[in-house]
Amino acid sequence: MAQAKIQAKMNEAACSKFSRTMSMADRSGQLLESLDQLEIRVEALRETAASMEAEREFILEMIQSIQQGQELRNISAGEREELTLTANRLMGRTLSVEISVGTIRNPQQEDALRQATSVIDGIVKKLLDDMESGRQQLLAVHAACVTEAPPVPIDQKFQAIVISCALEDQKKIKRRLETLLRNVENAEKNIKIMDHQKLEDSKSNGCQ
């Protein structure tokens, strides 16, 4: 009789333990599912923030383009002052928007990012001294960041550096290079316009 009671208790404990284990497994599964859903939302949040960061940079670039553009010099002083004040106001409001998306990197990716940044900074300095030579270097490193076959030589060394960077850093590097290329193109256009105007003024003075 006593043996039967002991056996019954053991069976009861076993059943209770089995039920509790299943319950814990169910709870674990629910928590894992919740975390999976949260991971999707986290990635969507990061993508949205990155997109907003890119939009902020583009807006700043457009405002600067207007501020430095030749068109602003070809209007009356009163209109120019009003437009300059508006551009400055928009610049201030845009700068007040702070967006930051951190990137998790391993030591190799950290080193690759430092190398890539150093190369680009060197090209920026080169542009100030020799725009045409700097422009060719800029085209070569930009070609290293695009998937389609570019019509210019590729900087193979820079390409190897970029490939070693984190994916998010690769996108930022490409975006920075594209911005620099647009700035160079705008600068060259302004130089040509100013040179053409200087030539026209010279002809007008010669005719007088």
Side-chain angles (χ1 to χ4, degrees), residues 130-195:
D130 185 347
M131 181 173 290
E132 181 55 31
S133 177
R135 180 175 177 274
Q136 294 304 318
Q137 292 183 17
L138 189 58
L139 288 170
V141 294
H142 177 261
C145 300
V146 298
T147 53
E148 65 274 9
V152 296
I154 299 175
D155 188 323
Q156 301 287 347
K157 184 177 179 181
F158 186 77
Q159 187 176 57
I161 294 173
V162 173
I163 291 174
S164 298
C165 291
L167 182 60
E168 291 176 353
D169 288 330
Q170 292 179 24
K171 294 177 181 178
K172 290 182 179 180
I173 289 169
K174 180 182 177 183
R175 195 159 67 236
R176 182 185 177 190
L177 293 173
E178 289 172 346
T179 299
L180 285 171
L181 280 172
R182 285 195 296 270
N183 289 340
V184 169
E185 290 174 1
N186 290 334
E188 289 177 339
K189 287 179 182 178
N190 288 334
I191 290 173
K192 289 178 180 179
I193 291 173
M194 293 174 66
D195 186 60

Side-chain angles (χ1 to χ4, degrees), residues 37 50 61 63-64 68 85 120 122 131 181 203 206:
Q37 292 298 320
E61 182 186 344
I63 296 173
Q64 290 173 342
Q68 301 169 4
L85 289 173
I120 298 174
M131 181 173 290
L181 280 172
K203 288 181 178 180

Side-chain angles (χ1 to χ4, degrees), residues 10-23:
M10 291 176 64
N11 292 337
E12 182 180 346
C15 290
S16 176
K17 183 178 180 180
F18 181 75
S19 298
R20 186 163 60 250
T21 302
M22 290 297 292
S23 178

Side-chain angles (χ1 to χ4, degrees), residues 41-64:
R41 295 181 65 176
V42 167
E43 291 307 312
L45 174 64
R46 288 179 62 85
E47 289 178 5
T48 301
S51 177
M52 292 174 64
E53 187 178 38
E55 175 67 8
R56 178 180 182 273
E57 292 175 2
F58 182 72
I59 290 174
L60 289 173
E61 182 186 344
M62 293 299 295
I63 296 173
Q64 290 173 342

